[in-house]
Amino acid sequence: MDLQPSHASPILTDPVSKSRLGIHSSLLAYSQQDSPLSPGKYTKSNSKKNMGSLDDVRSNGWLDAMKASSPPRKKSVLKGSSALVASIDFDMEDYNLWMLEYPSALGAFEKIIDHAKNKKIAMFLDYDGTLSPIVEDPDCAFMTEPMRTTVRRVAKCFPTAIISGRSRDKVFDLVKLTELYYAGSHGMDIIGPVSDTLHENHPDCVKSTDDQGNEITLFQPAKEFLPMIDEVFRTLIDITKDIEGAKVENHKFCVSVHYRNVEENNWTVIAQRVHDILKNYPRLRSTHGRKVLEIRPVIDWNKGKAVEFLLESLGLTDMNDVLPIYIGDDKTDEDAFKVLRESNRGCGILVSSVRKDSNALYSLRDTSEVMRFLQRLVNWKRKQERKHGKK
């Protein structure tokens, strides 16, 4: 299957305490003393006094990566409306050139659907920046009711999962739909259907039941890191509380340090403090998102692996009759785009209004275009069902 385009191509925030399926994400409890990974308490006495040189984050590329993953709003440096118009025209021209490599999924809808004929579509969606807009306060990233209705309709037509960097409980509280599967912490906390082969291939799978009595699979490949993640979370709360605008979130299997509301001249400070903390935790690493630093376990798991796991759990591993579609906007979604692209088995769609290099095949400008694409997909499916029903 070839889906390639035809041309060259410091606020304390804990996860919420409930789950959509009656299985809280802390179902598997691990005490601090039980974990072989914890390096010991990172005390307040050494959390700030032993900070390294600010040159560390400059020399190792952290600061450059933070700036690259956090493009500033376009501002004209010249006075007058003509300069503003010129700036907008340049941005549009640049974006239109970029779309030659990453065509609009709306414009290419018929081509995508052509490959979906006689196949079962599986939908995978990021949340922030895909189903809800990026906002200053991540706690206020609410999806609209029309979007919620659209996603519900998608889930009734196709197996659908949301794969988010947020904790699984938190993303469910935002989405509030029981028709979906949820993968939180960049795929390190998954609830999916029961499959005997999963338990043979993935020893971290646990069978359970939801509050409707349905059997489910709970998969947490990084569960041994829970005490360490909690310790780092508490430490980061302490060492960033004097940085105005900084916000630290515990997403259960990863920690987010948001600097969206931090003055840019303090980005180096916040990066250096995170960098120095990680020196004490060699089994944790940092990745860069949209004005956020993500602290994650060093394991061979990401959103791409989560897509493969969910396809397996759904019994959709046959690449000849399945078309996975993944829609996301963030750097962490690139792992999923890459899996689909390299296996030539599905379609990655990047949500972006600015030029970005990506492993996706297509693009959508913003959440409104995402909703339009999903609505068209539902309408196409219903039309196919009506046609099939007449035979």
Side-chain angles (χ1 to χ4, degrees):
M1 178 185 67
D2 183 13
L3 280 175
Q4 298 282 352
S6 57
H7 42 70
S9 33
I11 300 176
L12 182 63
T13 308
D14 281 314
V16 295
S17 59
K18 57 187 177 181
S19 164
R20 75 155 179 111
L21 295 173
I23 304 296
H24 184 255
S25 62
S26 60
L27 173 69
L28 302 179
Y30 295 85
S31 66
Q32 181 76 24
Q33 56 266 33
D34 289 339
S35 173
L37 298 176
S38 177
K41 292 293 183 180
Y42 196 83
T43 62
K44 294 182 179 180
S45 61
N46 63 7
S47 63
K48 292 183 182 178
K49 291 182 180 179
N50 295 334
M51 290 298 171
S53 167
L54 294 182
D55 289 337
D56 287 354
V57 292
R58 295 190 181 102
S59 62
N60 67 16
W62 270 41
L63 190 58
D64 289 339
M66 290 171 73
K67 291 179 178 179
S69 62
S70 310
R73 292 186 177 92
K74 299 293 183 180
K75 293 182 179 180
S76 173
V77 297
L78 301 177
K79 295 181 179 180
S81 59
S82 61
L84 179 58
V85 170
S87 176
I88 294 174
D89 287 345
F90 174 80
D91 293 342
M92 287 299 298
E93 181 180 358
D94 187 56
Y95 185 77
N96 290 335
L97 288 172
W98 175 79
M99 286 185 65
L100 294 176
E101 187 175 357
Y102 304 96
S104 168
L106 289 171
F109 185 80
E110 295 302 326
K111 181 177 181 179
I112 295 171
I113 289 308
D114 186 58
H115 287 286
K117 291 178 180 177
N118 302 316
K119 293 182 175 66
K120 188 170 186 177
I121 292 176
M123 287 299 307
F124 300 95
L125 304 165
D126 184 24
Y127 181 76
D128 293 275
T130 300
L131 301 180
S132 73
I134 298 294
V135 294
E136 298 299 317
D137 183 354
D139 287 336
C140 297
F142 304 116
M143 65 192 305
T144 65
E145 284 306 317
M147 178 67 88
R148 181 173 288 105
T149 298
T150 298
V151 173
R152 179 185 288 111
R153 289 171 178 168
V154 169
K156 289 181 178 180
C157 292
F158 315 104
T160 302
I162 292 180
I163 304 178
S164 173
R166 292 177 181 264
S167 72
R168 174 169 51 81
D169 297 323
K170 180 62 175 178
V171 75
F172 171 73
D173 269 7
L174 290 167
V175 177
K176 296 181 173 67
L177 294 176
T178 59
E179 295 88 349
L180 317 177
Y181 299 106
Y182 291 84
S185 303
H186 301 291
M188 290 180 283
D189 188 7
I190 302 176
I191 278 187
V194 170
S195 168
D196 291 334
T197 58
L198 279 180
H199 294 270
E200 296 174 2
N201 299 334
H202 303 279
D204 291 302
C205 287
V206 175
K207 288 185 179 180
S208 188
T209 57
D210 62 20
D211 52 7
Q212 285 86 38
N214 301 313
E215 288 190 331
I216 59 167
T217 293
L218 178 65
F219 181 61
Q220 297 175 331
K223 58 183 178 290
E224 60 181 325
F225 287 84
L226 283 172
M228 185 184 294
I229 291 292
D230 184 65
E231 183 175 295
V232 170
F233 169 59
R234 301 293 170 178
T235 302
L236 288 170
I237 286 288
D238 180 54
I239 66 170
T240 60
K241 62 186 178 183
D242 63 327
I243 303 176
E244 185 176 356
K247 180 169 184 172
V248 182
E249 287 187 294
N250 187 340
H251 295 306
K252 191 168 182 64
F253 294 101
C254 58
V255 178
S256 296
V257 182
H258 296 271
Y259 55 92
R260 178 172 299 278
N261 298 316
V262 175
E263 291 293 332
E264 189 169 343
N265 57 5
N266 280 328
W267 288 10
T268 307
V269 177
I270 200 168
Q272 188 63 52
R273 291 184 183 180
V274 173
H275 175 268
D276 289 334
I277 291 300
L278 290 183
K279 290 179 180 178
N280 296 274
Y281 296 90
R283 297 198 64 186
L284 298 180
R285 63 188 177 98
S286 175
T287 58
H288 302 270
R290 295 173 67 171
K291 294 188 177 179
V292 60
L293 294 172
E294 300 271 8
I295 314 305
R296 304 162 62 179
V298 180
I299 63 172
D300 184 22
W301 200 261
N302 51 48
K303 288 186 175 183
K305 297 281 188 180
V307 167
E308 293 177 320
F309 176 88
L310 284 164
L311 286 172
E312 181 182 356
S313 68
L314 291 164
L316 301 177
T317 54
D318 187 347
M319 62 184 297
N320 295 318
D321 63 0
V322 177
L323 180 69
I325 299 177
Y326 189 106
I327 308 179
D329 75 306
D330 195 69
K331 187 174 182 179
T332 58
D333 298 310
E334 290 297 324
D335 293 312
F337 296 152
K338 184 177 181 181
V339 163
L340 298 184
R341 185 168 195 146
E342 291 185 346
S343 62
N344 197 31
R345 66 179 301 185
C347 172
I349 303 175
L350 173 67
V351 184
S352 180
S353 59
V354 297
R355 173 187 289 272
K356 286 183 181 180
D357 290 331
S358 177
N359 287 302
L361 297 180
Y362 300 100
S363 68
L364 292 167
R365 184 180 292 270
D366 51 30
T367 56
S368 66
E369 288 200 352
V370 171
M371 187 166 67
R372 286 173 56 197
F373 178 83
L374 295 176
Q375 288 170 342
R376 289 188 65 179
L377 206 57
V378 169
N379 291 338
W380 169 81
K381 178 63 174 178
R382 289 177 174 175
K383 184 177 179 180
Q384 293 296 306
E385 290 175 343
R386 288 193 298 268
K387 184 185 298 184
H388 180 74
K390 291 179 181 179
K391 293 182 178 179

